[in-house]
Amino acid sequence: MKKQYLFIDGYNLLFRMKEYELIKSSTFPTERDTLIDILKEYAGGHNYIVYCIFDAYLTRSKEYIKEEAPISIVYTKTGEKADQWIERKTRELRIEHFVDIIVVSDDHDERDTTLGYGAILRDCHMFIKELKERKKNISNLAKKHNTSNRIKNRHIRMSDKDRKKLENFLKGGKF
């Protein structure tokens, strides 16, 4: 099976999700962590190799890649924007390995450049819509599974003493 990469412009998607009021928090790091959790849940159900890239453009640091299965979080090096990292990696992977790459961003220059390298483009709006639909489908499947697997009209014979023990255990965890 051919490898498929999903490159997400982290801050681009985060700001779009805030715009739609899907992420609300009092601190920026908490919002970023919330986005990462959402992406981990999404990536768990796909065969993509997922990278969420955040700018470290104005900080004094080296490129840092943090593995948080099933995704990788990239903080770019000093002077490099997420767009530049995505464009560079798209070019490298397409030329050297000829893999499928999907880029999630609303940045027009980035989209044009990665499209030129053969990437598949998704704007943030469509990706957010996909995230919402997937969460809804999973919720519906879980609800359907839970209601269809209930045992109906099941009578268990037990003494009153044992029934009382069971009730106490269920209520307080003690026999």
Side-chain angles (χ1 to χ4, degrees), residues 1 28 38 44 47 54-55 69 72 93 98 101 103 140 142 144 150 152 156 168 171-172:
M1 179 183 222
F28 194 66
I38 290 168
N47 291 326
F54 293 104
D55 294 328
S72 298
L93 287 169
F98 201 68
I101 301 166
V103 174
N140 288 340
K144 183 179 178 182
R150 285 193 181 143
K152 298 175 184 166
I156 301 172
N168 287 338
K171 288 179 184 174

Side-chain angles (χ1 to χ4, degrees), residues 4-6 42-43 45-50 70 102 122 127 130:
Q4 292 184 313
Y5 287 81
L6 178 64
Y42 174 82
H46 290 285
N47 291 326
Y48 298 133
I49 299 167
V50 179
I102 299 168
R122 283 204 193 131
F127 187 71
E130 184 180 338

Side-chain angles (χ1 to χ4, degrees), residues 5-8 10 13 32-54 65-75 127 131:
Y5 287 81
L6 178 64
F7 292 152
I8 300 166
L13 181 61
R32 187 176 55 223
D33 291 344
T34 301
L35 175 64
I36 290 167
D37 289 340
I38 290 168
L39 294 175
K40 282 194 230 178
E41 184 179 312
Y42 174 82
H46 290 285
N47 291 326
Y48 298 133
I49 299 167
V50 179
Y51 285 86
C52 182
I53 302 93
F54 293 104
I65 299 177
K66 183 178 180 182
E67 300 291 328
E68 285 194 25
I71 70 171
S72 298
I73 300 133
V74 178
Y75 297 93
F127 187 71
L131 288 172

Side-chain angles (χ1 to χ4, degrees), residues 4 9 11 17 25 43 48 51 67 73 99 106 112 157 173:
Q4 292 184 313
D9 187 330
Y11 288 132
M17 291 183 85
S25 175
Y48 298 133
Y51 285 86
E67 300 291 328
I73 300 133
V99 296
D106 283 342
D112 290 345
R157 293 185 193 170

Side-chain angles (χ1 to χ4, degrees), residues 77-147:
K77 64 185 175 187
T78 303
E80 184 176 44
K81 295 180 181 176
D83 308 5
Q84 294 166 316
W85 189 95
I86 292 169
E87 291 166 10
R88 179 173 44 88
K89 287 296 183 184
T90 300
R91 184 182 66 245
E92 289 171 10
L93 287 169
R94 286 293 290 178
I95 291 171
E96 295 173 20
H97 305 287
F98 201 68
V99 296
D100 288 335
I101 301 166
I102 299 168
V103 174
V104 176
S105 178
D106 283 342
D107 184 292
H108 293 291
D109 291 337
E110 178 183 358
R111 290 168 56 89
D112 290 345
T113 302
T114 55
L115 181 63
Y117 295 133
I120 300 164
L121 305 176
R122 283 204 193 131
D123 62 30
C124 290
H125 173 76
M126 292 305 291
F127 187 71
I128 291 168
K129 186 176 178 182
E130 184 180 338
L131 288 172
K132 288 168 118 180
E133 286 176 12
R134 186 163 194 282
K135 188 168 185 113
K136 182 180 175 184
N137 289 341
I138 290 171
S139 177
N140 288 340
L141 284 172
K143 194 181 293 184
K144 183 179 178 182
H145 176 75
N146 290 338
T147 57

